[in-house]
Amino acid sequence: MCGIVGIVSQNPVNQYIYEALTVLQHRGQDAAGIMTCDDNNRLHLRKDNGLVRDVFHTRHMLQLEGTMGIGHVRYPTAGCSSSAEAQPFYVNSPYGISLAHNGNLTNAASLKNDLYREDLRHINTESDSEILVNVFAHELHHQAKHTIDEQDIFEAVKGVHRRCRGGYAVVTLITGHGVVGFRDPHGIRPVVFGKRDTNNGAEYMIASESVALDTLGFELIRDIEPGEAIYINKAGEVYTHQCAENPVNTPCLFEYVYLARPDSIIDNISVYKARLRMGESLADKILRERPDHDIDVVIPIPDTSRTSALQLANSMGIKYREGFIKNRYIGRTFIMPGQKMRKKSVRQKLNAIDLEFRDKVVLLVDDSIVRGTTSQQIIQMAREAGAKKVYFASAAPMVKYPNVYGIDMPSARELIAHDRTVDEVGELIGADWLVFQDLEALEEAVSRGNPKIRRFDSSVFNHKYITGDITEEYLDKLERQRNDSAKRDEADMTEIGETDESIEPVLIDMHNSR
């Protein structure tokens, strides 16, 4: 779950990209980066660990010159959290290519070997995004000539699709030529593009979510289709082409549950309306299972569950109240490294309003339950605030299986619902009663916004990996790499200076470093 943006304009783009990344900050809070290209074909790069506001200061923005560029916000699902793996990545041949990527390549290991043995390209990090930029560069090299056109670029994207597996949404800056955006043939990760007219001509933006376009006054044109590529040259001419042989639209269901902002539209589906429908279907299930319930009040867990919780309360005719105040400066807990840090962060992130809980039977509503850390702590907070009973409802089904397409929940044994029943999960988190959304109801709630989408990537719920290449051996390897123990080891290595975290933050004029 990273955020990407690419802009082609006749005006300086540094501020536009900064503002778009700020809007997309929810998609990645570990690192941020911007690469721009000026009229002299000089590249300017700034990237480092941290939030957008902390990575880019005035002195950095002044050096990010140019009328086209790309940007990225990251949290790591592959590789490590070193600033050396912040994006965009750059390779100088052919032409000078920069790339930012949201997703995960499931065949990264074999691609890395192929790049070294067959393509004679060296990979310097553990990031699959560096692999992806080198694959694209190699495929474009086959079309190499003094100048390239849209057909050369589309042939290169076709080569990427033939070689790469997994979920990926990509923006690529080709020095002196333009910006390319493309999406994996299954459409797992979201990406859209839009247009804004100015006195100097039309400007175009590619971004992970439509909300980035809205905020900057761009008109949403549409989603990039699965397997499709869009090329916007520096003159502002737009070309699109389907580059996959058998594309099928199976977007990630968890985007609608949790990852995306509610004011975004993904694959022509309003995330906000989808979450309203999630609340309706969850209310229907509660009324079926507990027609004589004794719920006094519905309280959401801020922020993502508010929309579903409000509609659930309205459908059931129960009072809706805000019972928790959120500290905006604490990151999302399920992606934090280590259980100890996650538990500490929950108490720092939320504070209960006692009068909304005291002597009441409370139904808490959250978007999902992943590791269960947040749910357990919040239920305890509700009891400490005086609740008589605490029921808990999840707007998503039980998250039982690891995600391999770009969401940081890879270790099955760290998922509280893995190999457990609903009652067992309820007992572990301390709820008096626990209810999960049914998968069929969730899929219907989302697909009602776009009936053309008949299947989703629902692998975290049903263990069906739509790319068809995921083996138990792969999942075992992924678990060893990304479980809490591995993250603690990485953190320990960082503390004693045995990783490259000591590298100075990157601020580079790619043509003339200073």
Side-chain angles (χ1 to χ4, degrees), residues 318-383:
I318 301 173
K319 288 188 297 183
Y320 170 92
R321 291 291 186 268
E322 293 285 344
F324 295 100
I325 301 300
K326 184 176 182 180
N327 181 347
R328 304 286 174 184
Y329 305 99
I330 302 294
R332 289 180 160 185
T333 54
F334 95 84
I335 64 174
M336 287 184 172
Q339 189 78 345
K340 184 176 180 181
M341 184 180 294
R342 282 188 289 270
K343 287 183 177 180
K344 181 179 179 182
S345 295
V346 173
R347 290 283 180 163
Q348 293 175 337
K349 185 170 70 170
L350 295 176
N351 188 48
I353 302 174
D354 288 8
L355 63 88
E356 296 295 354
F357 293 91
R358 192 174 302 122
D359 298 325
K360 295 177 181 177
V361 176
V362 177
L363 174 64
L364 301 180
V365 180
D366 207 351
D367 49 74
S368 58
I369 302 176
V370 180
R371 289 177 171 92
T373 309
T374 301
S375 307
Q376 184 183 53
Q377 295 285 304
I378 287 174
I379 289 171
Q380 183 60 33
M381 290 169 64
R383 295 195 189 283

Side-chain angles (χ1 to χ4, degrees), residues 430-448:
D432 292 299
W433 180 60
L434 173 63
V435 59
F436 286 94
Q437 183 88 266
D438 293 327
L439 179 56
E440 295 78 9
L442 174 60
E443 291 179 337
E444 195 279 331
V446 178
S447 64
R448 203 187 309 172

Side-chain angles (χ1 to χ4, degrees), residues 405-417:
Y405 301 124
I407 305 174
D408 186 25
M409 49 168 116
S411 179
R413 63 186 176 85
E414 291 171 4
L415 302 173
I416 194 170

Side-chain angles (χ1 to χ4, degrees), residues 217-472:
F218 283 75
E219 178 185 356
L220 172 65
I221 296 176
R222 61 177 174 83
D223 297 82
I224 296 178
E225 296 295 326
E228 185 184 25
I230 175 172
Y231 170 51
I232 308 163
N233 67 23
K234 64 181 181 180
E237 298 169 325
V238 180
Y239 304 90
T240 63
H241 187 72
Q242 177 54 254
C243 298
E245 293 182 0
N246 297 297
V248 56
N249 201 5
T250 51
C252 174
L253 194 58
F254 210 68
E255 287 278 355
Y256 300 93
V257 171
Y258 176 77
L259 301 182
R261 275 183 40 157
D263 44 349
S264 283
I265 297 173
I266 298 176
D267 287 306
N268 208 32
I269 298 171
S270 164
V271 175
Y272 174 76
K273 288 186 177 180
R275 290 177 183 168
L276 287 176
R277 293 190 289 267
M278 292 176 205
E280 290 175 358
S281 59
L282 190 57
D284 290 343
K285 182 173 183 178
I286 292 172
L287 291 173
R288 286 196 309 271
E289 295 193 359
R290 297 233 170 170
D292 299 323
H293 68 81
D294 55 349
I295 302 168
D296 295 316
V297 63
V298 173
I299 295 177
I301 312 302
D303 283 319
T304 322
S305 65
R306 279 199 173 103
T307 308
S308 297
L310 179 59
Q311 191 66 9
L312 181 151
N314 289 337
S315 298
M316 296 183 66
I318 301 173
K319 288 188 297 183
Y320 170 92
R321 291 291 186 268
E322 293 285 344
F324 295 100
I325 301 300
K326 184 176 182 180
N327 181 347
R328 304 286 174 184
Y329 305 99
I330 302 294
R332 289 180 160 185
T333 54
F334 95 84
I335 64 174
M336 287 184 172
Q339 189 78 345
K340 184 176 180 181
M341 184 180 294
R342 282 188 289 270
K343 287 183 177 180
K344 181 179 179 182
S345 295
V346 173
R347 290 283 180 163
Q348 293 175 337
K349 185 170 70 170
L350 295 176
N351 188 48
I353 302 174
D354 288 8
L355 63 88
E356 296 295 354
F357 293 91
R358 192 174 302 122
D359 298 325
K360 295 177 181 177
V361 176
V362 177
L363 174 64
L364 301 180
V365 180
D366 207 351
D367 49 74
S368 58
I369 302 176
V370 180
R371 289 177 171 92
T373 309
T374 301
S375 307
Q376 184 183 53
Q377 295 285 304
I378 287 174
I379 289 171
Q380 183 60 33
M381 290 169 64
R383 295 195 189 283
E384 292 171 359
K388 288 195 299 185
K389 295 180 184 177
V390 182
Y391 303 149
F392 202 97
S394 168
M398 299 174 76
V399 177
K400 295 183 174 183
Y401 306 102
N403 182 276
V404 300
Y405 301 124
I407 305 174
D408 186 25
M409 49 168 116
S411 179
R413 63 186 176 85
E414 291 171 4
L415 302 173
I416 194 170
H418 183 71
D419 283 339
R420 292 191 176 99
T421 66
V422 174
D423 289 341
E424 288 171 340
V425 175
E427 184 177 354
L428 283 171
I429 66 175
D432 292 299
W433 180 60
L434 173 63
V435 59
F436 286 94
Q437 183 88 266
D438 293 327
L439 179 56
E440 295 78 9
L442 174 60
E443 291 179 337
E444 195 279 331
V446 178
S447 64
R448 203 187 309 172
N450 183 358
K452 292 181 180 179
I453 299 178
R454 299 183 178 181
R455 186 182 176 193
F456 295 90
D457 167 39
S458 306
S459 53
V460 298
F461 307 120
N462 62 12
H463 204 235
K464 296 178 181 179
Y465 296 98
I466 58 175
T467 54
D469 61 337
I470 305 304
T471 64
E472 289 304 318

